[in-house]
Structures are given as C-alpha cells and as structure tokens.
Amino acid sequence: AQTVTQSQPEMSVQEAETVTLSCTYDTSESNYYLFWYKQPPSRQMILVIRQEAYKQQNATENRFSVNFQKAAKSFSLKISDSQLGDTAMYFCAFMYSGNTPLVFGKGTRLSVIA
Amino acid sequence: ETGVTQTPRHLVMGMTNKKSLKCEQHLGHNAMYWYKQSAKKPLELMFVYSLEERVENNSVPSRFSPECPNSSHLFLHLHTLQPEDSALYLCASTSRGEGEAFFGQGTRLTVV
C-alpha cells in the first residue's frame, strides 16, 4: 500500500520569503502522480501543482515549484515570495493512476506572517 | 469553483435522525469518492465509485450508506450517527487518464 508522510505539522514564513514543505512517499509502483493540494479556511481543496513520475523535469506553477527526487521518493513544495493568501493547510498526495483514489499525507499548516 | 458541488454546506443532526449529503459534478468524470476529514487525522477514504459501481468500501460502518444513481451524482445517506462521526465530508471526482481529483467544498457535519 502507498503511504505519504509529511513530517512538518506546522510552519510559518514571513511575507515575501521562501518556504519549503517536505513530503516523502512509499510505493513499489513506477508510474504514478504526485500532487500538492491547498486547503484554506474556506475548506475548498485546491490543486496547487502536480507531477507525473515519468517526467524528470520538476513542475512549476508561478510561485510554486517542486523538487521531485524519484529515487529518494521525495516530493517537496517550494513557495517563493510568500503571500498572506498562501496561509492554509497543504496536503501532499499520491495517485497510482488516473482513476484510483488519492492517498494523502497528514498535512502541513502554513502561516504567512505580515 | 472546481465543478464539484456539495450540499448542504453545514448540517447538524441528532443521533436518531436520517439525512443525506449530496455531491454533483458535471465535469464528465467517471469516478467519484467520499472522504472524511476529522481534526488532526489524515483524510480517510470512505467509498469509491467507478462507472457508477462501488469498487471500494474501506470498512466504513453501515450507518453510512452511499448511493451513485448516475455518473454525475453521489449521495451519502446517514442514519443513527454517533458524535464521533462529526467531521468534514469531502466529495471528489476524477477522470481516467487525467490524474487529478477535483473536490467539492465539503459538508461540515455535527452530530449532537
């Protein structure tokens, strides 16, 4: 069974600074997807960024980028130029293939401080 | 707006009540899921429906009863719940090959 581990329950960062959230996972599969989801106080789970395991290039979406280390089974999220609106719970998630359920980590609560 | 709509947003029910949660998506997805999110616990997968057939039931108590009448709608029928069932219930949908789940805004359930 796949597992996802987020070792940082809470983090804080000053506005405009950079922060990195950690995620490791365990799987015997070679093809899969990895995601970071954001859940603000409004509770809506929003996709931040996704990575296909077969792609060596790290995914980037504006201020969000990942460091995907397949051999180490590591998938960290870097948020640059942090904004107050980035304050939320961040969940790392694993999906084996298109129609299989997501497996989530426990989440990291990020607070951006003005 | 993700294209997945859940109603109601909030629900308070007594332990002897019967209520239902509704999830609707018009994204053309063919798999839908119920997750339970409790405080300080990881999201728990409850049920999976693929092409309107239940394919997974993760040892969920029978007081939770899912229903998927078509590929766009998913229900969670609730009956004689316990206070520990109070949680945020999230619905999600996916489409084969796209590798991304879209979530509704959740129903905050309180059992009194």
Side-chain angles (χ1 to χ4, degrees), chain A residues 73-106:
Chain A
K73 296 180 182 176
S74 171
F75 183 62
S76 61
L77 174 71
K78 185 172 82 171
I79 306 175
S80 304
D81 186 24
S82 297
Q83 301 176 359
L84 296 177
D86 295 333
T87 293
M89 282 289 290
Y90 286 81
F91 292 94
C92 179
F94 173 101
M95 178 186 281
Y96 166 47
S97 66
N99 261 6
T100 57
L102 284 165
V103 176
F104 286 90
K106 290 187 177 182

Side-chain angles (χ1 to χ4, degrees), chain B residues 6-66:
Chain B
Q6 287 185 245
T7 54
R9 293 290 307 279
H10 302 271
L11 178 61
V12 179
M13 60 186 289
M15 289 188 284
T16 58
N17 290 159
K18 288 185 181 180
K19 297 286 184 183
S20 295
L21 309 185
K22 179 182 177 182
C23 177
E24 186 173 353
Q25 60 89 9
H26 295 288
L27 300 169
H29 291 173
N30 52 20
M32 297 184 77
Y33 312 84
W34 281 116
Y35 285 88
K36 177 183 179 183
Q37 187 177 24
S38 305
K40 303 190 180 186
K41 291 176 72 174
L43 277 85
E44 301 171 61
L45 179 65
M46 299 177 72
F47 299 104
V48 179
Y49 274 83
S50 179
L51 297 172
E52 302 159 39
E53 288 188 24
R54 190 191 311 181
V55 296
E56 191 163 339
N57 174 353
N58 281 358
S59 302
V60 179
S62 59
R63 57 186 183 269
F64 294 91
S65 174

